[in-house]
C-alpha cells in the first residue's frame, strides 16, 4: 500500500523547504515534490537603483552564501559597462571567493550533513583507544586525534545525556538502522564536528583579510577592489596564508579521512547510484587563471547529459530559461531572465486531509521557478563542476578525482549518487586550497614588484545610458547568475537565478522533475516515520532556500503587503504586516 508523507521543514539548511513523497509498500520513494515556501523579492527592490549599488543590496539575499551575490552582481554590471579587471583585482577576487569555499564546504559536511551519516548516541559506546586506531586507518596525520581527545569528546556527550538533553544534537533519529558507522567511527566524526566549529572561524577570518569583513565582505566594487593597503602590506598577505595553511590542515587531516570513512561504510548505496537523480550537469565555469577576457578557468564551463562523460556541450547564457508552470507567479511561461517578470501569485495548498494540507502538485506548488538550459533539466553544484571538468579532460580535476577513486577502489560511476555528491565537495575543497597557494604567491610577487593597480576607470554616464549585462560565477552550492538591464543610469530590470533554484525547483511545463525531485526517486526509508534517507539525499545538495526564495505563512495567511516606489533615486517603502 502506498503512503504519502510530508517533511516540512527540512532542517539543517538555509531557508524553508518542504518535501512531499509517495512511498510504495517497501518504503521506497516512487514520486517526490520539492517546494520552496518563502518568496524572494530582492529583484523588485533593486529596480530604480544605481547599478553600482546593486551588489551591496543583492548580497543581502543570503548571509550563508556570503559574498557570492555581491561579486556576481558586480560582474553583471561590469559586463554591461564593458569593464576589464587588473591582475590584482582578479587575484584578490579569486582569493576572497575561494575563502568562501574553504569555509562553506567543511561547515556543510560537518554541521549540516554529517549527522545524516553519523549516529551521535552510538559514539557513547565507543572505545576511545580503538577510535584512535580508526583515525590512523585513513591518514598518517589525523587532525587533533588521540585517545585522550576522543575520551574528552565522549565525556562531553555523556554530560549532555546526564543533563537530560543532547543539546545541539537533540531531536535526531539516533539508532535508525540506516546509520552504518561503528561506535568508534562515530566518535571520530563527532570529534571533528566539534573541531570544525573552530576551524570555520579561521576561514571566515581569511576572507576578512582581503574582504574587509565576514559575513558580507565589502572590498569589491564595479571596476575592481578597494583593499589596496592590505595587498601592499606583506604582513596582511602572510596572515592570509597562515589562515589558509590552518584550514588546509583540517581538510587533509579530518575532512578527507572522514569522507573516506563514510564512503567505505556507505559504499553499497554509492555503487547502487542511490540519489543520482537527473545525471545531467551544468557548470558556468569560474576562477579565471589569466587576465584575458577568454581566460581559462579553474573549473571549466559546460554541460554533460545523461551521465555521458564522453561529451561536453558548451554553455551560453542565452540558453537559460525559467518556467513558472508550477511556480507561484502569474502566468504560464518560460522566458530568458532578461525579460522575466516577478509577479507573485500564491494559490495555496489543498484543503486539509487528516490534518495535513498537501501541495497542489498538478498546479502551482512552489515559490521556486523551474530553470532549464537548452530545454534540459540539470543539476548544479560541486559534483556538476567535477563531472564537467572530468569530462572536459581538465588535468587538475582528473588528477584529484582519479586519486580518490583509486584510494576507494570505486568506479567513476559512483559519482552519480548521494555519496558522490558529498565526495565532490571534499575533492573540490582540496583543488581550491592548492589553487589558492598559487594565487596568493602571484599576488605577493606582483605587489612586491610595485604593481598596486586595483581598479579600472570607466565613464559611468555613458556606460549606463542604455545597456544590459550578466554576471556568472560559481558559488559553493553551484552556478549562479545575475542579469541586469540598465536605462538612464538606473536599473530597469533585474533577475537572479541561483543554484538552489535549479536543484530544488518544481516540475517544468513538460512535467519533468527538478534535481531534488528526481534524486529522491528510488530512495528507500528504513523507517517511514524517520525520513533520515530523505535528509541524506537532500542535504547532499546543500540547499540554500534563502537564495532561491524570500514571505508567506505556511497556512496561506498573508503576512504583509509592500510597495517599493523609487523617488528621486531614494526608495520609499510603505507596507503593513
Amino acid at each position: 500500500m502506498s503512503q504519502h508523507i510530508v517533511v516540512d521543514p527540512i532542517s539543517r539548511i538555509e531557508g524553508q523547504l518542504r518535501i512531499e513523497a509517495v512511498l510504495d509498500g517497501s518504503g521506497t520513494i516512487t514520486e517526490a515534490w520539492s517546494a520552496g515556501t518563502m518568496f524572494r523579492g530582492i529583484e523588485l527592490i533593486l529596480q530604480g537603483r544605481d547599478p553600482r549599488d546593486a551588489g551591496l543590496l543583492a548580497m543581502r539575499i543570503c548571509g550563508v552564501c556570503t559574498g557570492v551575490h555581491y561579486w556576481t552582481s558586480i560582474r553583471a554590471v561590469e559586463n554591461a559597462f564593458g569593464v576589464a579587471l587588473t591582475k590584482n583585482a582578479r587575484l584578490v577576487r579569486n582569493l576572497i571567493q575561494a575563502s568562501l569555499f574553504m569555509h562553506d564546504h567543511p561547515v556543510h559536511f560537518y554541521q549540516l550533513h554529517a549527522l545524516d551519516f553519523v549516529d551521535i548516541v552510538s559514539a557513547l559506546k565507543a572505545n576511545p583507544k580503538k577510535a584512535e586506531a580508526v583515525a590512523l586507518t585513513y591518514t598518517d596525520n589525523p587532525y587533533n586525534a588521540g585517545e585522550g581527545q576522543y575520551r574528552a569528546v565522549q565525556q562531553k556527550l555523556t554530560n549532555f545525556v546526564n543533563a537530560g538533553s543532547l543539546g545541539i544534537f537533540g531531536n535526531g533519529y539516533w539508532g535508525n538502522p540506516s546509520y552504518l558507522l561503528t561506535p568508534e567511527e562515530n566518535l571520530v566524526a563527532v570529534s571533528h564536528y566539534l573541531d570544525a566549529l573552530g576551524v570555520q572561524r579561521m576561514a571566515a577570518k581569511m576572507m576578512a583579510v582581503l574582504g574587509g569583513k565576514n559575513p558580507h565582505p565589502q572590498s569589491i566594487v564595479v571596476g575592481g577592489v578597494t583593499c589596496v593597503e592590505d595587498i601592499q602590506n606583506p604582513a596582511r598577505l602572510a596572515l592570509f596564508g597562515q589562515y589558509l595553511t590552518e584550514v588546509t590542515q583540517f581538510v587533509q587531516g579530518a575532512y578527507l579521512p572522514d569522507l573516506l570513512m563514510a564512503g567505505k561504510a556507505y559504499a553499497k548505496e554509492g555503487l547502487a547510484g542511490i540519489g543520482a537523480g537527473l545525471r545531467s550537469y551544468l557548470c558556468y565555469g569560474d576562477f579565471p587563471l589569466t587576465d584575458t577576457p577568454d581566460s581559462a578557468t579553474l573549473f571549466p564551463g559546460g554541460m554533460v547529459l545523461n551521465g555521458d562523460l564522453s561529451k561536453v556541450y558548451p554553455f551560453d547564457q542565452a540558453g537559460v530559461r525559467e518556467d513558472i508552470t508550477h511556480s507561484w507567479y502569474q502566468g504560464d511561461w518560460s522566458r530568458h531572465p532578461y525579460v522575466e517578470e516577478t509577479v507573485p501569485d500564491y494559490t495555496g495548498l489543498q484543503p486539509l486531509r487528516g490534518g495535513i494540507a498537501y501541495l497542489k502538485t498538478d498546479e502551482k506548488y512552489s515559490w521556486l521557478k523551474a530553470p532549464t538550459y537548452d530545454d534540459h533539466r540539470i543539476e548544479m553544484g560541486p559534483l556538476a563542476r567535477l563531472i564537467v571538468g572530468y569530462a572536459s579532460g581538465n588535468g587538475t580535476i582528473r588528477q584529484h578525482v582519479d586519486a580518490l577513486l583509486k584510494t576507494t577502489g570505486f568506479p567513476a560511476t559512483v559519482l552519480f549518487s548521494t555519496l558522490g555528491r558529498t565526495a565532490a565537495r571534499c575533492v573540490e575543497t582540496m583543488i581550491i586550497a592548492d589553487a589558492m597557494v598559487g594565487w596568493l604567491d602571484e599576488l605577493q610577487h606582483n605587489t612586491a614588484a610595485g604593481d598596486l593597480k586595483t581598479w579600472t576607470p570607466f565613464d559611468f554616464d555613458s556606460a549606463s545610458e542604455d545597456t544590459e549585462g550578466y554576471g556568472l560565477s560559481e558559488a559553493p552550492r553551484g552556478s549562479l547568475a545575475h542579469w541586469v538591464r540598465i536605462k538612464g543610469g538606473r536599473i530597469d530590470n533585474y533577475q537572479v537565478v541561483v543554484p538552489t533554484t535549479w536543484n530544488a525547483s518544481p516540475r517544468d511545463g513538460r512535467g519533468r522533475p527538478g534535481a531534488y525531485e528526481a534524486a529522491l526517486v528510488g530512495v528507500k526509508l528504513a523507517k517511514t516515520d524517520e525520513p533520515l534517507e530523505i535528509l541524506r539525499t537532500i542535504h547532499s545538495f546543500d540547499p540554500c532556500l534563502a537564495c532561491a526564495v524570500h514571505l508567506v505563512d505556511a497556512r496561506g495567511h498573508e503576512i504583509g503587503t509592500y510597495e517599493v516606489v523609487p523617488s528621486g533615486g531614494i526608495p520609499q517603502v510603505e507596507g503593513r504586516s
Side-chain angles (χ1 to χ4, degrees), residues 260 397-409 430:
L260 295 173
I397 292 175
R398 284 214 160 194
Q399 176 186 350
H400 279 82
V401 172
D402 286 341
L404 180 68
L405 295 175
K406 182 179 180 180
T407 299
T408 60
M430 294 187 293

Side-chain angles (χ1 to χ4, degrees), residues 6 18 349-358 555:
V6 177
R18 174 189 181 114
L349 308 180
Q350 294 185 33
L352 287 174
R353 285 187 290 136
I356 300 175
Y358 293 98
R555 292 173 294 277

